[in-house]
Amino acid sequence: MRIADFHVTPIAIADPPLLNAAGLHAPYALRAIVEVVSDDNIYGVSESPGGADVLADLEAVRALVVGRDPFALNKIAQDIETHFGDATSGDRQYMRTTIHSRRAARVFGAVEVACLDLIGKAIGQPVCNLLGGKVRDRVPFSAYLFYKYEGAGGQLGFATDLGATGWDAARQAAALTPAGIVAQAQAMCRAFGFKSLKLKGGVFPPHIEVDTIFALRQAFGPNTPLRLDPNAVWSVETAIRYGKQLEGALEYFEDPTRGQAGMAQVAQAVNIPLATNMCTTSFDDIPGSVRLGSEHIILSDHHFWGGLRASMELARICRVFGRGLSMHSNSHLGISLRAMAHLAAAAPNLTYACDTHYPWQREEVIVGGRLQFDDGDLIIGDEPGLGVELDRAMLARLHENYVQCGLTGRDDEAEMQKVQPGWKFMHTRW
Amino acid sequence: MRIADFHVTPIAIADPPLLNAAGLHAPYALRAIVEVVSDDNIYGVSESPGGADVLADLEAVRALVVGRDPFALNKIAQDIETHFGDATSGDRQYMRTTIHSRRAARVFGAVEVACLDLIGKAIGQPVCNLLGGKVRDRVPFSAYLFYKYEGAGGQLGFATDLGATGWDAARQAAALTPAGIVAQAQAMCRAFGFKSLKLKGGVFPPHIEVDTIFALRQAFGPNTPLRLDPNAVWSVETAIRYGKQLEGALEYFEDPTRGQAGMAQVAQAVNIPLATNMCTTSFDDIPGSVRLGSEHIILSDHHFWGGLRASMELARICRVFGRGLSMHSNSHLGISLRAMAHLAAAAPNLTYACDTHYPWQREEVIVGGRLQFDDGDLIIGDEPGLGVELDRAMLARLHENYVQCGLTGRDDEAEMQKVQPGWKFMHTRW
């Protein structure tokens, strides 16, 4: 089997005005749909973060993908690493650096998932079976709560809203107070059945976000796991002060401060497991994490760690070094969600409910439309590959949205400035 | 696909009187041939270290293997770990300890390789493609040199010698001096084409072994990589003193002393990369290795690290922590050799020539007989699975050897005492 063709289709998906430490989500989030097509005309698909830089990187590796055996993943990875790390490419940015290896990991991850989907379809096996098989059939996800302005994102004529889910009004509603977040959480859990709650923080002064956590605890009771993610914009002192107030109330405290050294200080001082997808985000960061003890839990993300097999290797590293393993998310559609769920089904130690932005989106590019959660879980069956087929009409519409929306990258700061002129991102805000 | 049957066949293979720090090889080495048979009657095979304890452990997991999907490797591993770690099993030895996890890894490794062979045969793919595909077609092996007494092992009527290879006389010959080792190396390299030389040390006083290395360097020139393995019976002081003499002469210095702390001292003092298959031999040992800096190169062995996929995870850990990766061997036949070669073909950073005892054996259990090295390399093609089929007549004869030889485990000390009465193994001899 050879890869005869490689397609990259940029799409834009409606995204609500969600607030975070970097600013505000634009009305559209950018994704890329990657397809590898075999010489016997089977296609494998993956979903990647989008934007002009990702598209350029994906195009740049086309010749390293077309003509290859989809099983030859180690070699393709090596070639992609060499491509981005090749000092003779004439582009100084392509020098072998951490940035290089992160770009290589991101591009290879997109190619690898598409190849695994193709292989799975070709041999009639689900992707999780290419990762050693599932240890669980049900993958729990958490409710990802955001402070937000009113609105649900999207504004073009190509809206492809897939209709009511029972939570449309709450998705539309503003949530700018503890009570607003509680209402959002209740609506989301009612609609999807999630059993864990994660609040994206770093938006309001810490005492408001701590109050929000206690309001959630009041509303949901002490047995609902809660997580707070200040997105690294709290100082070490702030993280320790408010962290101490949160002891006993959080399942984990995600990136309360910036950098491994600061995280290690917070880890020493606060009796809550620390989680990260900001201070330990690539294999290059693992030695520092081990040396400093910067976190207890790593939030994996196959889009950034180099695919599903690399994420299984990360899972082993977490077992070896006593780290827990959970999962990070960006705005995404169902192809990413299925890939995340196959990984989570296979990784023995991925025992936390995974993050997902999925309820915030309302479009889909897969046949059958929006994926359904069963009591908060995604169920992984025996469907070959990722278990998805592309809806090509919808893909074309979402691609048209990409063309029309005019966005080429994510810039939450610029988006925020439309609402709050002069607003500036700060590495440490509080 | 389900595993309908599980066979474990103990065999004994002729093994020459090779000297090492633990004593002397007995006339037979024990191996176990493990088969998983699918409900559609495809079989997958692996080769494991043998002996009564291994056989008991393999038998003990039969119910965890039969009836399972061979793709369900993560779950089978988890169940085997639970089995050996289950404190309620009533056997205190089965408590969750390092020994438990090593037993679980050894048993699971044997099951996993057989399942991967079965999967590969079922889907028409070589095992390396189940590990992400090969990054090299040719896997180089090294000449594994031993001080030895005269003889080639074996003594029963069931000898199954597969005939002349051009090195039979040298395999038979004693090698108890530097000149004897040089002659052995020359004969072995002439017959197999190996380009690297490894000397099993820890047998004679260190100055003799150092002299042997310099005799090899004299005979083969400075471009032939040399390795010395004192099997951890040198003191830290001895390892440093003789290590300094060997600077510039060794590709790597394997387990010069015992334990991670001692190895770290030698690593600090001697300017030769240290390799190990004795101080860092399981995932449980990795944190200590990282903390202490006990070696530069880890010698993987899928038989002990929990199979081929776990070995790929080890390969990632080596990349992350700047460790080189090479490969350890015990006395073995071609099923193990093929599994080793598939792993070495797939692991991007397994860039050293691998160890193998294979030239010391002269029997086989696979159709077609002894595997051939091509200029020191094993070539991995596209044959499904491991690319081997069992020769059932030969398997029966080697099993009969097992029954007849009366050995139930490896005891190099007892064997040595037959030659040197009163000889005792010493943790640190020099």
Side-chain angles (χ1 to χ4, degrees):
Chain A
M1 186 164 52
R2 295 284 147 188
I3 298 171
D5 217 340
F6 177 66
H7 302 298
V8 179
T9 310
I11 62 171
I13 57 177
D15 206 29
L18 307 178
L19 288 156
N20 66 85
L24 181 64
H25 282 213
Y28 287 91
L30 306 183
R31 304 292 285 174
I33 304 302
V34 174
E35 292 171 77
V36 292
V37 186
S38 72
D39 45 9
D40 48 353
N41 217 30
I42 305 170
Y43 76 97
V45 66
S46 71
E47 179 185 340
S48 157
D53 55 342
V54 179
L55 297 175
D57 282 354
L58 283 165
E59 283 305 328
V61 303
R62 172 180 296 279
L64 305 178
V65 175
V66 173
R68 307 298 284 270
D69 183 339
F71 281 98
L73 294 166
N74 295 321
K75 190 76 180 75
I76 295 172
Q78 213 173 46
D79 291 347
I80 288 177
E81 284 164 17
T82 301
H83 169 79
F84 285 107
D86 184 357
T88 66
S89 71
D91 180 347
R92 280 165 150 262
Q93 284 190 291
Y94 279 48
M95 296 291 282
R96 185 158 192 88
T97 63
T98 294
I99 288 169
H100 132 264
S101 68
R102 282 168 204 264
R103 289 171 69 186
R106 188 173 58 177
V107 169
F108 175 69
V111 171
E112 186 237 29
V113 174
C115 287
L116 293 176
D117 184 44
L118 169 56
I119 291 169
K121 285 171 175 164
I123 69 171
Q125 293 289 337
V127 163
C128 59
N129 276 5
L130 308 176
L131 308 173
K134 59 190 172 184
V135 297
R136 55 187 71 83
D137 297 313
R138 304 180 68 96
V139 174
F141 285 83
S142 62
Y144 202 153
L145 310 175
F146 282 87
Y147 297 109
K148 70 180 288 287
Y149 295 127
E150 188 172 357
Q155 57 196 179
L156 298 167
F158 296 96
T160 50
D161 197 318
L162 292 173
T165 64
W167 115 279
D168 304 83
R171 182 172 54 202
Q172 176 81 26
L176 297 163
T177 60
I181 291 290
V182 168
Q184 181 187 97
Q186 288 170 331
M188 195 187 278
C189 290
R190 211 160 35 234
F192 299 95
F194 300 131
K195 306 287 189 291
S196 308
L197 309 178
K198 163 174 168 166
L199 175 63
K200 174 65 84 183
V203 173
F204 292 119
H207 70 91
I208 295 178
E209 301 191 346
V210 170
D211 284 352
T212 305
I213 290 295
F214 283 107
L216 288 167
R217 189 172 161 85
Q218 179 82 23
F220 284 82
N223 295 324
T224 297
L226 303 179
R227 309 159 183 180
L228 174 62
D229 173 14
N231 253 173
V233 295
W234 290 4
S235 69
V236 169
E237 295 67 31
T238 301
I240 291 173
R241 175 159 13 113
Y242 290 97
K244 287 194 165 296
Q245 294 180 26
L246 290 163
E247 286 176 355
L250 290 185
E251 178 186 33
Y252 59 70
F253 195 12
E254 181 179 337
D255 289 312
T257 196
R258 192 168 300 275
Q260 290 183 332
M263 286 283 283
Q265 287 180 265
V266 178
Q268 285 293 324
V270 174
N271 188 24
I272 309 173
L274 299 194
T276 189
N277 79 295
M278 295 183 72
C279 83
T280 302
T281 61
S282 77
F283 289 108
D284 293 341
D285 299 324
I286 295 288
S289 158
V290 168
R291 193 171 57 248
L292 295 167
S294 47
E295 77 282 319
H296 306 87
I297 298 160
I298 293 178
L299 301 171
S300 64
D301 187 328
H302 72 268
H303 305 89
F304 296 104
W305 284 82
L308 298 175
R309 291 153 50 261
S311 298
M312 290 296 288
E313 293 166 355
L314 171 62
R316 171 67 79 172
I317 287 173
C318 286
R319 290 168 71 186
V320 165
F321 289 98
R323 298 287 187 282
L325 184 65
S326 188
M327 195 181 287
H328 167 257
S329 145
N330 282 124
S331 305
H332 64 92
L333 294 183
I335 300 170
S336 278
L337 184 62
R338 289 285 299 181
M340 293 159 67
H342 276 272
L343 172 61
N349 49 330
L350 215 167
T351 51
Y352 293 96
C354 302
D355 284 353
T356 178
H357 286 62
Y358 196 66
W360 293 106
Q361 278 70 59
R362 57 186 198 272
E363 297 155 320
E364 248 317 343
V365 283
I366 57 177
V367 172
R370 300 281 299 169
L371 293 169
Q372 299 301 312
F373 291 89
D374 183 279
D375 204 25
D377 301 341
L378 220 63
I379 298 174
I380 292 294
D382 294 324
E383 306 83 4
L386 293 172
V388 300
E389 296 292 342
L390 273 174
D391 179 332
R392 300 210 174 258
M394 204 61 90
L395 180 64
R397 288 171 69 177
L398 294 176
H399 174 64
E400 188 57 28
N401 274 357
Y402 173 80
V403 172
Q404 295 289 325
C405 78
L407 297 171
T408 58
R410 178 175 169 177
D411 188 346
D412 286 18
E413 184 183 54
E415 198 62 29
M416 189 70 152
Q417 288 167 351
K418 297 177 186 171
V419 185
Q420 296 187 26
W423 189 91
K424 281 280 175 200
F425 168 70
M426 294 167 69
H427 273 74
T428 301
R429 188 175 294 277
W430 287 287
Chain B
M1 187 165 50
R2 296 283 147 189
I3 298 170
D5 217 340
F6 178 65
H7 302 297
V8 179
T9 310
I11 63 172
I13 57 177
D15 206 28
L18 307 178
L19 287 156
N20 66 83
L24 181 65
H25 282 213
Y28 287 91
L30 306 183
R31 304 292 285 173
I33 305 302
V34 174
E35 293 171 77
V36 291
V37 186
S38 72
D39 45 9
D40 46 355
N41 215 31
I42 306 171
Y43 75 98
V45 65
S46 70
E47 179 185 340
S48 156
D53 54 344
V54 179
L55 297 175
D57 282 355
L58 283 165
E59 282 304 328
V61 303
R62 172 180 296 278
L64 305 178
V65 175
V66 174
R68 307 298 284 270
D69 183 339
F71 281 97
L73 294 165
N74 295 321
K75 190 76 180 76
I76 294 172
Q78 212 173 47
D79 290 346
I80 287 177
E81 285 164 18
T82 301
H83 169 80
F84 285 107
D86 183 357
T88 64
S89 71
D91 180 346
R92 280 165 149 262
Q93 283 189 293
Y94 278 49
M95 295 291 282
R96 186 159 190 86
T97 62
T98 295
I99 288 168
H100 132 264
S101 68
R102 282 167 204 264
R103 289 171 69 184
R106 188 172 60 177
V107 169
F108 175 69
V111 171
E112 186 236 29
V113 174
C115 286
L116 292 176
D117 183 44
L118 169 57
I119 291 169
K121 287 172 174 162
I123 69 171
Q125 293 289 336
V127 162
C128 59
N129 277 5
L130 308 176
L131 307 173
K134 58 190 173 185
V135 296
R136 56 187 69 85
D137 297 313
R138 303 180 68 94
V139 175
F141 284 84
S142 62
Y144 202 152
L145 311 175
F146 281 87
Y147 297 109
K148 70 181 287 288
Y149 295 127
E150 189 172 356
Q155 58 194 180
L156 298 169
F158 296 95
T160 51
D161 197 317
L162 293 173
T165 65
W167 114 281
D168 304 82
R171 182 172 54 202
Q172 176 81 26
L176 297 163
T177 61
I181 291 290
V182 168
Q184 181 186 95
Q186 287 169 331
M188 194 187 279
C189 290
R190 211 160 34 234
F192 299 94
F194 300 131
K195 304 288 189 292
S196 307
L197 309 177
K198 164 174 168 167
L199 175 63
K200 174 64 85 182
V203 173
F204 291 119
H207 71 91
I208 295 177
E209 301 191 347
V210 170
D211 285 351
T212 306
I213 290 294
F214 283 107
L216 288 167
R217 189 171 161 86
Q218 180 81 24
F220 283 82
N223 295 325
T224 298
L226 304 179
R227 310 160 182 179
L228 174 62
D229 172 14
N231 254 173
V233 294
W234 291 4
S235 70
V236 169
E237 295 68 31
T238 300
I240 291 173
R241 174 159 15 112
Y242 289 98
K244 286 192 167 296
Q245 296 181 24
L246 291 163
E247 286 176 357
L250 291 185
E251 178 186 33
Y252 59 69
F253 195 12
E254 181 179 336
D255 289 312
T257 196
R258 192 168 300 275
Q260 292 182 330
M263 286 283 283
Q265 286 179 267
V266 179
Q268 286 293 324
V270 174
N271 187 24
I272 309 173
L274 300 194
T276 189
N277 80 295
M278 294 183 72
C279 84
T280 302
T281 61
S282 77
F283 289 108
D284 293 341
D285 299 323
I286 295 288
S289 158
V290 169
R291 194 170 58 247
L292 295 167
S294 47
E295 77 282 318
H296 306 88
I297 298 160
I298 293 177
L299 301 171
S300 64
D301 187 330
H302 72 268
H303 305 89
F304 296 104
W305 284 82
L308 298 174
R309 290 153 52 260
S311 298
M312 290 296 288
E313 294 166 354
L314 171 63
R316 171 66 80 171
I317 287 173
C318 286
R319 290 168 71 186
V320 165
F321 289 99
R323 297 289 187 280
L325 184 64
S326 189
M327 196 181 285
H328 167 257
S329 144
N330 283 123
S331 305
H332 65 90
L333 294 183
I335 301 170
S336 278
L337 185 62
R338 290 286 297 181
M340 293 159 67
H342 276 272
L343 172 62
N349 49 330
L350 215 166
T351 53
Y352 293 96
C354 302
D355 286 351
T356 178
H357 286 61
Y358 196 66
W360 293 107
Q361 278 71 60
R362 57 186 198 272
E363 297 157 318
E364 250 315 344
V365 282
I366 57 177
V367 172
R370 301 281 298 169
L371 293 169
Q372 299 301 312
F373 291 89
D374 182 280
D375 203 25
D377 300 342
L378 220 64
I379 298 174
I380 291 294
D382 294 325
E383 305 83 3
L386 293 172
V388 299
E389 296 292 343
L390 272 174
D391 179 331
R392 300 211 173 259
M394 203 62 89
L395 180 64
R397 288 171 69 177
L398 295 176
H399 174 65
E400 188 57 29
N401 274 357
Y402 172 80
V403 173
Q404 295 289 325
C405 78
L407 296 171
T408 56
R410 179 175 169 178
D411 188 345
D412 286 19
E413 185 183 55
E415 199 62 29
M416 188 69 151
Q417 288 167 351
K418 296 178 187 171
V419 185
Q420 296 187 28
W423 189 91
K424 280 280 175 200
F425 168 71
M426 294 167 69
H427 272 75
T428 301
R429 188 174 295 275
W430 286 288

